[in-house]
Amino acid sequence: MTEIGKSVRRKEDRRFITGAGRYTSDVEYAGQAYLYIVRAQTAHARILNIDTSAARAAQGVVAVYTAADLDAGGIGDMQAGWVMYNPDGSPMHDAPREALARGRIRYVGQPVAAVVAESGLLAKDAAELVELDLEELPAVVNITDATAENAPKVWDHIPANQCFEWIIGDTGAVDEAFASAAQTVETDIVQNRLVANALEPRAVIAVHDANNDEYTLHASCQNPHLLRTWTCTNSLPVPESRLRIVSDDVGGGFGSKIYQYSEDLVALFAARALGRPVKWVGERSEAFVSDAHSRDHVTHASLALDSEGKFLALRVDTDANLGAGLSQYGAAIPTVFYATMISGVYKIPAMTIRVRGIMTNTVPVDAYRGAGRPEATYLVERLVDIAAEATGIDRIGIRRRNFIPPAEFPYQTPLGLVYTEGAYDECVDRALENADMEGYDARKAASGAAGKLRGLGVIVYTEQAGAAPSQAAIAFGSGHAFFEVSTVRVNPDGSVRVLTGAHSHGQSHETTFAQIVSDQLGLPLDEIEIVHGDTNQLPFGIGTYASRSISAGGSAVLLSTEKIIAKGKKIAAHMLECAADDIEFVDGFFKHKDAVHSLSFKEIARTAYVPGNYPMDQLEPGLEETTFFDPPNFTFPAGCHICEVEIDPETGETRIDRYTVCDDFGLVINPMVVRGQVVGGLAQGIGQALLEDAVYDADSGQPLSASFLDYAMPRADDLPAFDVSELDTVSISNPLGAKGAGEGGTIGAPVTVMNAVIDALKPAGVTDLSMPATPARIWSAIQAANTG
């Protein structure tokens, strides 16, 4: 039975389309109370007093809490999960996130107090009665202002608002290469700030069992075990064995549901203090000012080339906005996950990357789909287009000229990574064919005849996916390992229950993981159950992000099934009176290699639970195996994106006419699921390129795009029909051969679209433009070029 490689319909879809999904907000407990968070409306202020008396007296109010209550209850701050080190070896400055603001407000939306009432509406009404006596302070919300001389400090102990300075590469070699270069090009890049906007807002419900001093936290999160570890290590003084995290169905995460949040801790504290379950369900308006933001870089980059257009060296200086506090991966995204990938698919002998982490009075910044790799790909692929223009070399030709040669894999980059493989030319060849490049000139002429500007964007990307190996991650400053765990439990009737530490919030684990098991054990998909999202079900797990589920989690499942098969062979050998080495497992049957006798998988499963039918002196009863799989390296998905845009110069409106992608994702378990992931990622990347921008007022620190009225999300009519395909390859970094497909679309799309937009605008005199390329920004750039 071969299920891998088939576009099997998703098993989970029936539950979702019939309304039978179980999200955190669906969980109800008898006697539960409702939590509402009082959030700061001021960007920066000292808290002189919090008057909660009116709120406490309001109808239905059970309790009102401030930081003093949580401090007295032993609730600690939320700490960074990664530590970056300065060039002198000193660690970065600490900037913890407080469950409730303690003495000082540092951004609009920061939790200041908490109201618990008999209903959500009563809690919300009472929250309006909490009075804050504040001494307002000047705020800084962007990198320019935060790094200016004598800028207001976000944290008193952090000089010049610089949390860290992190440098990687060989500065001396880069300086020498630039000195001898035949040509150099440079660019300035601004990565616009984004809000994840998962379909389901965050929610939690906390329960405390006073008899055993045990907690249960239902949370809309991507990694229950890590959330438990962080909570018990930093914030809640109980052993991990006393905290259960349950995360059932989750309506999208995109990175924003990885981290600890204040609401988790306040709900746990309140449940213990009140002796009853406490529930919080976030509103969309809260998500804009409380969920982790992303991107927000300012970069200057230079590329040195020889006389033949070969790349010699790359120099990058990036300031990354970290927000007002350090989120779990906040320091790692612009360093480990961005800086190490800046070379992309190219052989660049010398590189140096300097990153400064800057604190501002804004929502803390952390990972969002792609997490550092979209920023890295944007930088290098913009530079390559600029280099092509400067040298007169065709944009595709200059890329091919500088690809890492196939003969040099595995390739050690100057930034510490070892690329295992890369089929870059093959991706370009397939994408060019599918994009009908021979017809581009005719399409461009037709656009011109209609008074429109047509542009072409072509990029080639690669990424480090899988967040591995553990040893390297820890050496780079991670506070945890990056293995993944699975248990495959065969029931006596031969059906299978798979427990995985990976978490599904749109990735289709219930289908793709079942396909792996079906392929291995020869079982129908409807006899395979996939369980995730409950820390009481599995010893540990790292969760889902960084495109790691199938490569790490799927490989753990594969290895567990191989252990099942190995034990099954021993049982079969006992029953068939032969050596285990003489048993083969083929199409769901254990067979003697030289005889006609065979036993079905179901027969072996039943036998494993019947004493006397297996070698009791050699094997334990049952048929269940667990695997902790720690990948030896990242995987390196890659691909080529080609985009054609048409711009109306009279209005600045951009229409994406064609978009073609060919990816190398290694072994593809389910092409339909993979293409769905790619298309979703493309939509998000296009959103960054053309529409989305989380904007703050520089004077007041107030967010100006904190609702869908002002924050433009991509709609169906903003997107073209995508042409998506994959190569047939296998990764050597894991036994399954998969590379991961969750983030490739988001990594490649922003720069592909912007390269196309800038290409289209060249006849109008525009040679550079920052994201998002809104109609107003494009129109203004055209007008400025025409009057300049």
Side-chain angles (χ1 to χ4, degrees), residues 82 226 336-337 465-485 540-542 545 548 552 628-634:
W82 290 65
L226 282 183
V336 176
F337 292 98
S470 295
Q471 197 168 25
I474 291 170
F476 265 121
S478 171
H480 64 82
F482 283 96
F483 53 79
E484 199 46 87
V485 187
F540 205 77
I542 303 301
Y545 48 88
R548 68 185 307 275
F628 283 68
F629 174 64
D630 195 351
N633 196 358
F634 293 101

Side-chain angles (χ1 to χ4, degrees), residues 157-384:
H157 68 282
I158 301 182
N161 293 314
Q162 183 174 303
C163 180
F164 62 81
E165 179 186 24
W166 190 84
I167 297 175
I168 190 171
D170 188 335
T171 302
V174 168
D175 290 344
E176 289 180 10
F178 269 84
S180 63
Q183 190 163 9
T184 64
V185 295
E186 59 185 344
T187 189
D188 291 296
I189 291 171
V190 176
Q191 282 283 333
N192 42 324
R193 176 179 279 241
L194 304 178
V195 181
N197 281 314
L199 186 62
E200 175 210 20
R202 290 186 296 110
V204 298
I205 181 166
V207 182
H208 180 242
D209 175 1
N211 292 328
N212 299 301
D213 192 25
E214 293 179 345
Y215 299 79
T216 298
L217 182 71
H218 297 266
S220 177
C221 80
Q222 300 177 217
N223 43 307
H225 287 89
L226 282 183
L227 180 58
R228 182 185 68 180
T229 295
W230 291 330
T231 301
C232 293
T233 301
N234 302 326
S235 311
L236 183 69
V238 297
E240 290 190 49
S241 59
R242 293 189 193 169
L243 175 60
R244 178 189 184 192
I245 307 288
V246 181
S247 182
D248 294 319
D249 292 324
V250 173
F254 312 121
S256 69
K257 295 178 181 175
I258 294 173
Y259 329 111
Q260 278 186 286
Y261 284 101
S262 296
E263 297 83 7
D264 308 346
L265 303 180
V266 176
L268 287 165
F269 169 80
R272 183 185 68 192
L274 300 174
R276 58 191 291 192
V278 174
K279 184 174 188 176
W280 172 80
V281 179
E283 299 177 354
R284 182 62 61 185
S285 58
E286 291 181 281
F288 272 99
V289 295
S290 66
D291 292 7
H293 289 188
S294 64
R295 312 295 196 249
D296 204 345
H297 292 186
V298 174
T299 295
H300 181 77
S302 306
L303 178 68
L305 302 90
D306 68 13
S307 59
E308 301 297 320
K310 298 291 287 290
F311 303 157
L312 299 175
L314 179 63
R315 181 188 289 130
V316 177
D317 197 332
T318 293
D319 286 342
N321 192 336
L322 303 177
L326 287 169
S327 186
Q328 251 76 32
Y329 295 150
I333 301 308
T335 52
V336 176
F337 292 98
Y338 158 73
T340 61
M341 285 304 302
I342 282 178
S343 59
V345 297
Y346 305 110
K347 182 176 181 179
I348 307 176
M351 288 183 279
T352 181
I353 320 296
R354 173 180 178 258
V355 178
R356 296 192 304 168
I358 306 300
M359 310 305 299
T360 64
N361 294 112
T362 62
V363 174
V365 173
D366 211 310
Y368 169 65
R369 196 171 191 172
R373 287 94 81 204
E375 300 95 295
T377 300
Y378 193 97
L379 185 151
V380 71
E381 290 298 319
R382 279 296 303 131
L383 271 176
V384 173

